[in-house]
Amino acid sequence: MTMRFKLKLFVLLGSLLCLHTSQDFYPGSAEHRCFCQVTGHLDDCTCDVETIDTFNNNHLFPKLQELLKMDYFRFYKVNLNKPCPFWTDSSHCGLRDCAVKPCKPNEVPDGLKSASYKYTEDASRELEECEKLEQLGAVDSSLSEETRQVLLEWSRHDDEADRFCESDDEESPDSQYVDLLLNPERFTGYKGPEAWQIWNSIYEENCFKPCTVKRPLNPLTSYRGEDEGKTFYRWLEGLCVEKRAFFRLISGLHASINIHLSARYLLDDNWYDKKWGHNITEFQQRFDAELTKSEGPKRLRNLYFLYLIELRALSKVLPFFERRSFQLYTGQSAQDQRAKDLLLELLQLADSFPLHFDENSLFAGDREEATKLKEDFKLHFRNISRIMDCVGCFKCRLWGKLQVLPRAWAQH
């Protein structure tokens, strides 16, 4: 498996963890006033919240937790030193918990670091057949070096044009392996104008809305009126299903990040120990219906919508991983076989879900308009993936990059 396809699989799997985390807040006043309101049918879907809860908690989540602890998925190669392409402010968070500790070379399994992919017998045979076909259809070797270079540039352009996001170059000397279990997504203290600039750029410049319609609940300003949130969502409901889905995916991403920082919050920090745990107050401020002028429950519902999109994406990649030649390779044969078996169990489980999101409902109108809309989607997703290089907190940047990628690939 190529590094790029491995990354696609990893981020799709890892991003499904958040829905279960949000339910850790079930007991107490936060549940009574906020979470209990997220029930019933989901818009633009044939599914409901209760069906997703049962499926995730009882079937998918336990397998997913075990899988993501395995070496093939816990080590993630990322470039955290790419410059921000949109504004010149390159200040970085100086807080201790913003730091990311990269792996030492001897901590990463040799199979992951190897430049040459270790093929099974079947995979080697497939590779030989592909090479033979390439030779049969090869371009005339008498082509000039200049012409070959032009063809190569065309190929690169076509590859880039088909992408919904901008991923890191794993071969860059600035790319390093990070152990995600040792660098979990949690509260870092990164907030204020710098953090808001990131979300403002995402929502205000990339979510298919006119500049006259402002997203409600800017934490740096006071409410302009009691009906601000209702007015915004009335406008959102008037969008076509594709643009509405785009906003809900981004809102679901935002909810996922906020849930994690609320669930893994620094509750106590002293000279000998740190205590991380649930911050119910933080959760309420972001999701409680009363405190958010009814917007919070909508954010949580968008997380369920995102879950359905990604679950469908997992079911669609199942045939690839069912091939005999497929393997997960770290050089540790017993663990690799267990990881493959568990992955197939999880993907087959995802495929068995009875109420998948119907992707045929998207881009189904006029062909010319649908093509233009799909190109706009690609552009906006690419912009958002590049905005992640503007995040000042390195740990937030790490998890932002990792969480943005599956949304783009799932939509693709």
Side-chain angles (χ1 to χ4, degrees):
M1 185 194 306
T2 65
M3 175 68 77
R4 184 166 293 150
F5 206 97
K6 172 198 170 182
L7 181 59
K8 290 182 183 183
L9 174 64
F10 175 83
V11 292
L12 280 170
L13 291 173
S15 60
L16 293 180
L17 284 170
C18 187
L19 191 65
H20 185 91
T21 305
S22 70
Q23 293 161 29
D24 290 343
F25 292 95
Y26 195 83
S29 61
E31 176 273 332
H32 180 71
R33 280 188 24 212
C34 179
F35 192 77
C36 67
Q37 296 183 23
V38 185
T39 60
H41 179 75
L42 290 173
D43 294 338
D44 300 322
C45 304
T46 59
C47 195
D48 57 68
V49 168
E50 291 76 11
T51 300
I52 296 174
D53 281 344
T54 300
F55 177 79
N56 184 67
N57 294 344
N58 298 339
H59 304 291
L60 190 142
F61 181 76
K63 292 183 184 295
L64 183 59
Q65 245 192 342
E66 181 183 352
L67 185 65
L68 293 181
K69 291 177 182 176
M70 294 185 169
D71 285 352
Y72 189 84
F73 292 100
R74 68 183 287 186
F75 293 103
Y76 173 53
K77 197 171 188 181
V78 62
N79 182 358
L80 296 176
N81 296 308
K82 292 173 70 175
C84 173
F86 296 113
W87 53 82
T88 56
D89 183 9
S90 59
S91 61
H92 295 303
C93 174
L95 297 171
R96 178 178 52 184
D97 292 315
C98 281
V100 171
K101 183 180 179 182
C103 297
K104 297 177 181 177
N106 63 349
E107 294 174 334
V108 182
D110 291 336
L112 292 179
K113 295 184 293 183
S114 175
S116 59
Y117 176 77
K118 303 296 190 298
Y119 290 96
T120 62
E121 234 178 274
D122 290 336
S124 297
R125 214 173 295 120
E126 287 182 11
L127 183 62
E128 288 175 10
E129 291 174 2
C130 286
E131 288 175 345
K132 288 178 182 176
L133 289 173
E134 286 178 1
Q135 290 171 4
L136 289 172
V139 178
D140 186 351
S141 59
S142 63
L143 288 174
S144 68
E145 184 60 34
E146 182 181 357
T147 303
R148 289 184 189 181
Q149 193 61 37
V150 170
L151 291 174
L152 181 60
E153 291 300 322
W154 283 355
S155 177
R156 286 175 180 165
H157 178 271
D158 290 343
D159 185 46
E160 289 294 329
D162 195 45
R163 294 183 191 172
F164 271 64
C165 61
E166 190 169 298
S167 56
D168 289 339
D169 177 11
E170 290 91 2
E171 302 307 316
S172 167
D174 289 328
S175 293
Q176 294 178 295
Y177 278 100
V178 174
D179 186 339
L180 296 175
L181 297 184
L182 299 181
N183 295 273
E185 183 183 19
R186 60 190 179 190
F187 175 78
T188 65
Y190 180 65
K191 56 185 178 181
E194 293 81 8
W196 180 251
Q197 185 179 17
I198 300 296
W199 287 113
N200 192 62
S201 180
I202 291 173
Y203 281 108
E204 301 299 334
E205 299 169 18
N206 292 283
C207 276
F208 296 101
K209 70 178 194 60
C211 297
T212 54
V213 179
K214 295 297 182 183
R215 189 174 70 94
L217 304 186
N218 183 332
L220 302 183
T221 60
S222 59
Y223 288 113
R224 290 193 292 269
E226 290 294 318
D227 294 331
E228 181 184 345
K230 293 179 181 178
T231 301
F232 178 82
Y233 281 99
R234 276 200 298 270
W235 169 85
L236 182 64
E237 289 163 5
L239 288 177
C240 65
V241 64
E242 293 86 358
K243 292 182 179 180
R244 192 163 61 243
F246 188 99
F247 176 86
R248 295 175 70 186
L249 289 174
I250 299 305
S251 176
L253 162 67
H254 200 173
S256 167
I257 292 172
N258 284 336
I259 287 169
H260 277 115
L261 71 84
S262 300
R264 299 164 184 167
Y265 201 91
L266 185 58
L267 302 176
D268 188 23
D269 186 7
N270 53 58
W271 66 272
Y272 64 90
D273 193 21
K274 285 185 177 183
K275 182 181 178 182
W276 302 86
H278 295 353
N279 187 327
I280 301 297
T281 301
E282 189 74 26
F283 183 80
Q284 283 184 298
Q285 288 176 348
R286 298 170 186 271
F287 298 106
D288 182 81
E290 292 182 20
L291 297 178
T292 63
K293 306 296 182 184
S294 301
E295 189 185 353
K298 292 184 177 72
R299 297 170 181 169
L300 292 173
R301 295 181 73 83
N302 290 338
L303 178 61
Y304 280 87
F305 178 78
L306 173 62
Y307 181 94
L308 281 180
I309 295 285
E310 294 183 357
L311 196 66
R312 178 57 178 153
L314 287 174
S315 73
K316 293 188 72 172
V317 300
L318 174 60
F320 175 89
F321 294 103
E322 285 183 321
R323 298 189 308 179
R324 288 181 58 197
S325 58
F326 155 71
Q327 64 172 330
L328 301 174
Y329 186 79
T330 66
Q332 305 165 97
S333 57
Q335 185 181 134
D336 289 345
Q337 185 59 50
R338 173 57 183 158
K340 176 181 176 179
D341 293 342
L342 191 58
L343 174 62
L344 288 177
E345 288 177 22
L346 189 144
L347 293 177
Q348 289 162 358
L349 183 62
D351 190 51
S352 72
F353 186 70
L355 297 170
H356 274 296
F357 178 82
D358 181 12
E359 68 275 13
N360 294 318
S361 64
L362 301 177
F363 308 108
D366 178 80
R367 181 174 297 181
E368 187 174 335
E369 290 182 5
T371 300
K372 173 64 168 61
L373 187 57
K374 190 174 289 188
E375 288 303 313
D376 289 342
F377 265 52
K378 289 180 184 179
L379 176 62
H380 289 194
F381 270 123
R382 281 194 204 129
N383 282 344
I384 292 172
S385 67
R386 297 175 72 198
I387 289 171
M388 292 302 107
D389 288 314
C390 301
V391 177
C393 167
F394 281 119
K395 187 167 288 182
C396 304
R397 182 181 295 198
L398 165 67
W399 285 96
K401 281 173 169 280
L402 196 150
Q403 290 205 67
V404 164
L405 289 174
R407 279 71 185 178
W409 277 318
Q411 187 67 34
H412 182 50

